[in-house]
Amino acid sequence: MVKDAQNYALAHENKKYCSINSIILVLISNPYLSNCQIDIMRCLLILQLAVLLASCSDDRRLNVRQISPPGPITLVIHGGAGTILRSEMSPEREKEYTDKLLAALDSGFAILHGGGKSLDAVIAAIKVMEDSPLFNAGKGAVFTHDGRNEMDASIMDGSDLMAGAVAGVTTIKNPIVAAHAVMMKSKHVLMAGKGAEQFAEEEGLEIVPPSYFFDSARYRQLQRAKNPGKETSSIGQDRKFGTVGCVALDRYGNLAAGTSTGGMTNKKYGRVGDSPIIGAGTYAKNGTCAVSGTGWGEYFIRLNVAYDVSALMEYGGLSLDKAADSVIMKKLKGMGGEGGLIGLDRQGRVAMTFCTEGMYRGYITKKGQGKTFIYRD
Ligand code: ASP
C-alpha cells in the first residue's frame, strides 16, 4: 500500500518537473530576455533536471518501470498442460476438473476480495489443487521411476522479488506452504530433500507419511511409462503435465506467483524440474508480470521460461500476451519442448498460453465469477 502511494507520488512529481522544464525552455528562447535573466533560467533548468534525475533513481529502486494504476484484483490458475482431448474425457471427469478449478479460484479470490495479499491468495488456490488427487501436485503427485512421490514447489513475491522453494520433498502435505516458509522464515531461497523436510517439521507444517501420496491411477501411469509399448516419448504414454500454478494481483497492485508439482512420471532419482526453480517455472515482478509454467521441465529450465517472459516485457517492451506467445509458441516449441504458462500483469491482463492440446486453466476477476477452460478450442 505504502509502496503504491510512493509510486503514484513519483509519477506525479516527474510529470510536474517535465512541464516546468518545458516552460523554462520556452522562456529561454525568448529573444527579449537579458543575459542575467537567461542565466537565472539556465540555473533553474539545471536544478530541475537534477531533481528529476534523483527521482528517477528512486523510481528504479522501487522497481516500477511502468507507472500506471494497478488493475482490478485478478487470480489465474493452471492445473497442468498436456494431451487433454475432449474425445478422451467423460462428462463426469470433466465436471470433476471444472469443479476443482472453480474451488481453487474461489478460495484464492476470497482472500483478494477480503483485502488480503496476492501471495496468500496464491497459496490458498494452490492448496486446493494440492489436496486433490486430480492434479500432479501434493496428493496427486506422480511417481518417480523408483515408485516414490518427490515433490517440488516455489513461490515469489513481485513486490520485492522475495522467493522460496522446496525440491524433492516426500512428507510435506502442502509443498507450497513449505516454499512460503523457506521465503519467510529462512535466509535461503531453495531447500531440498531431507533438509527441507526437517525445516518444514521445525516450522510446524503438516507432515504426512509418504503413503499419503499413493494413488492407484498414478501408479498405473508409472507402469505404463515404464512399458511404453508403441509410445516413443521418453516421458511415457501419459503426456500430461499436471503441475498446478497460480498468479494473482491484489488491490495494492502487488503480483505473486506460485507453482507446485510431483514432477514428471518415471523421473529418475533426484531429478528436479523447473517448478521450484525461480525464473524457470515461477517468476513475479510488479514492474512486469507474474508467471507460472507447466510442461517439460528440462526445456523450461534451459529457456528460463518464466523470467524470459518478464525480460521480454521489461527490455523488449512487449505486452504480456506477445511475450508469452514468443516464449511458448516460438522458443519452447521450436526447441522441441512442450507445455504452457499462465501470466498476469499489473493492469490485470491475463495470458494463458500453451502449445499442447490442452491445459487445465481458469481465471477470476473483480466480478467474482470464475471461468475455467480445458481444451484448446
Ligand atoms: N514442469 C514439471 C516438471 O518438469 C512437470 C509439469 O509441469 O507437470 O517437473
Side-chain angles (χ1 to χ4, degrees), residues 78-81 136 142 150 152 240-244 259-265 267 271-276 281 293-301 338-340:
H78 72 74
N136 170 20
V142 297
E150 294 180 355
D152 308 326
K240 297 183 184 71
F241 308 110
T243 290
V244 305
T259 310
S260 180
T261 189
M264 283 167 63
T265 302
K267 67 184 180 183
R271 181 264 187 188
V272 173
D274 60 308
S275 308
T294 171
W296 200 326
E298 279 69 11
Y299 289 88
F300 276 62
I301 294 173
E338 284 178 277

Side-chain angles (χ1 to χ4, degrees), residues 5 11 54 72 94 151 170 179 199 210 236 242 250 267 286 292 321 339 347 362 366:
E94 187 173 315
M151 290 153 285
T170 59
F199 172 76
D250 61 30
K267 67 184 180 183
N286 274 4
S292 168
D321 230 32
Q347 277 64 58
K366 67 169 191 260

Side-chain angles (χ1 to χ4, degrees), residues 215-336:
D215 180 82
S216 47
R218 292 291 188 210
Y219 198 69
R220 283 198 300 278
Q221 248 174 32
L222 173 66
Q223 304 314 319
R224 286 198 295 271
K226 282 183 161 180
N227 306 292
K230 287 194 270 74
E231 177 64 53
T232 52
S233 163
S234 60
I235 55 165
Q237 200 168 347
D238 296 276
R239 296 175 74 184
K240 297 183 184 71
F241 308 110
T243 290
V244 305
C246 177
V247 291
L249 173 67
D250 61 30
R251 67 168 63 169
Y252 316 109
N254 290 323
L255 289 167
T259 310
S260 180
T261 189
M264 283 167 63
T265 302
N266 202 21
K267 67 184 180 183
K268 284 277 162 62
Y269 31 72
R271 181 264 187 188
V272 173
D274 60 308
S275 308
I277 309 292
I278 297 301
T282 303
Y283 195 73
K285 185 175 191 176
N286 274 4
T288 53
C289 61
V291 173
S292 168
T294 171
W296 200 326
E298 279 69 11
Y299 289 88
F300 276 62
I301 294 173
R302 289 157 66 201
L303 284 169
N304 244 309
V305 163
Y307 176 72
D308 200 25
V309 174
S310 168
L312 283 171
M313 293 175 72
E314 183 167 2
Y315 306 121
L318 266 61
S319 65
L320 172 65
D321 230 32
K322 289 217 160 61
D325 213 65
S326 159
V327 175
I328 295 296
M329 305 312 275
K330 294 202 183 92
K331 295 186 186 183
L332 181 73
K333 206 171 163 192
M335 211 186 219

